[in-house]
Amino acid sequence: KREEPARPGLLGRLVGRGGAKPVVRRTLDDEMLESLEELLIASDMGVETAMRVAANIAEGRMGRRFSTEELKELLAAEIARIMEPVARPLPLYDRKPQVVLVVGVNGSGKTTTIGKLAAQLRAAGKKVIIAAGDTFRAAAVEQLQVWGERAGVPVMTAPQGADPASLAFDAMTRAEEEGADILLIDTAGRLQNRADLMEELAKIVRVIRKKDPTAPHNTILVLDATTGQNALSQLEIFRKMADVTGLIMTKLDGTAKGGVLVALADRFGLPIHAIGVGEQIDDLAPFDPEEFARALVG
Ligand code: GDP
């Protein structure tokens, strides 16, 4: 019987494949450390984080011999250690309504994520309202309405091109009147005109603060795992426009393993509230550092 060669994971290429063959051990030397750094960089971890992770693996272990499996375990443990502190679900407050602003570039999965989140919150017994704040994209508003129906959550809309801030204000009023627990506000994601977008987001915040000076209570940035290192620059950009308090990374069900999340956690330490693992309504999962680390290491 012929053995199928195991698909090489992150480390398979480094020390050889495991499987049925006898366990191969190689000495952890400078050359191997350099290869490890390169592999980590190639996984979208970014140079700085990759170097730090490799250095932590190397510490006290240079010159010793390791099999692929042993190295994988070390690496997964190191990555899980970095990710542990940021794995935090969306905090729920007693404040009514808790205002959650959702930002991110178009196509990142914002609409889908709001739909999934609304469904989860509703299932947890929360009364939720969605405001379709991307008033320029008619298709986005329609999509959000579809998601609202699926989630059993009302979606407030405004005519195309209407001021998103005034919609946000009306949504605050309705949420207060109806005693809603959570108001999810979608926002535009046109990075082509950053000055406009920044002004738009700032105005939404100003207006909802007229109703509640402590709002928004959360500003979630939605990032697409398949964009790799772009996620870092998107966070930089949105942090300048809004007070981002947490992240949700979508499309982790595909080939993208989300190595950039390690860089994000290492550099910014923002909570990762959840991850998107598909296009269906229940495809929003809590972020599990160990599972994530194991999948990344392969
Ligand atoms: P928006 O423009 O940011 O509002 O993005 P959408 O919510 O419309 O999502 C863009 C595309 O990505 C759609 O085809 C979604 O079905 C898809 N999508 C969103 N989240 C996920 C996810 O977690 N996994 C997968 N595979 N697809 C997703």
Side-chain angles (χ1 to χ4, degrees):
K1 179 174 155 251
R2 281 214 356 241
E3 290 281 336
E4 284 288 320
R7 213 174 114 248
L10 194 57
L11 284 170
R13 285 159 285 167
L14 193 59
V15 281
R17 288 162 191 167
K21 289 184 195 157
V23 177
V24 182
R25 286 203 164 74
R26 288 222 189 137
T27 306
L28 182 54
D29 54 13
D30 285 342
E31 194 188 335
M32 186 156 145
L33 195 60
E34 216 168 284
S35 311
L36 181 60
E37 281 164 3
E38 274 165 29
L39 284 173
L40 295 176
I41 291 168
S43 81
D44 279 333
M45 219 175 268
V47 177
E48 233 176 279
T49 305
M51 304 276 275
R52 182 153 39 245
V53 169
N56 287 348
I57 299 286
E59 204 184 320
R61 297 193 179 93
M62 291 303 274
R64 278 169 53 190
R65 292 171 76 77
F66 295 94
S67 69
T68 306
E69 279 312 310
E70 289 164 343
L71 266 185
K72 271 189 190 176
E73 264 171 46
L74 285 174
L75 194 52
E78 175 62 17
I79 291 169
R81 193 186 62 80
I82 295 173
M83 304 312 286
E84 210 75 59
V86 298
R88 295 211 297 274
L90 180 71
L92 296 177
Y93 307 116
D94 287 334
R95 186 114 203 164
K96 274 192 189 191
Q98 176 172 342
V99 183
V100 180
L101 208 58
V102 185
V103 302
V105 300
N106 291 341
S108 61
K110 223 167 355 120
T111 309
T112 309
T113 301
I114 291 172
K116 293 170 179 175
L117 201 54
Q120 272 191 8
L121 291 166
R122 186 161 179 256
K126 300 288 178 187
K127 190 171 160 61
V128 183
I129 294 179
I130 296 172
D134 189 356
T135 59
F136 281 86
R137 280 200 308 167
V141 173
E142 267 168 40
Q143 266 306 104
L144 208 49
Q145 280 173 313
V146 171
W147 275 106
E149 250 162 61
R150 278 182 199 146
V153 165
V155 178
M156 282 190 73
T157 61
Q160 185 167 11
D163 183 2
S166 97
L167 173 67
F169 189 83
D170 291 347
M172 283 292 284
T173 308
R174 174 164 167 192
E176 282 170 359
E177 282 171 6
E178 295 185 3
D181 298 296
I182 292 169
L183 172 61
L184 297 172
I185 304 180
D186 187 22
T187 61
R190 299 166 266 112
L191 277 192
Q192 299 86 331
N193 195 336
R194 272 181 223 178
D196 263 13
L197 183 55
M198 187 187 256
E199 178 46 38
E200 190 170 309
L201 291 175
K203 193 171 170 195
I204 292 174
V205 169
R206 264 198 321 272
V207 159
I208 57 181
R209 281 190 182 154
K210 286 190 181 153
K211 287 273 186 187
D212 179 354
T214 68
H217 305 95
N218 311 88
T219 300
I220 302 177
L221 173 63
V222 176
L223 295 168
D224 175 346
T226 65
T227 66
Q229 287 281 295
N230 274 335
L232 278 169
S233 47
Q234 283 174 20
L235 176 56
E236 301 269 16
I237 290 166
F238 276 96
R239 256 164 42 110
K240 287 185 192 134
M241 299 203 229
D243 178 20
V244 176
T245 58
L247 308 173
I248 290 181
M249 181 152 278
T250 64
K251 308 184 197 181
L252 273 172
D253 50 309
T255 49
K257 301 249 182 282
V260 68
L261 270 182
V262 186
L264 287 165
D266 187 41
R267 281 177 45 186
F268 299 96
L270 283 168
I272 300 166
H273 295 317
I275 55 170
V277 291
E279 300 184 80
Q280 304 304 313
I281 198 155
D282 48 7
D283 289 332
L284 187 72
F287 178 71
D288 179 334
E290 276 170 28
E291 200 180 302
F292 168 82
R294 271 199 308 274
L296 184 61
V297 168

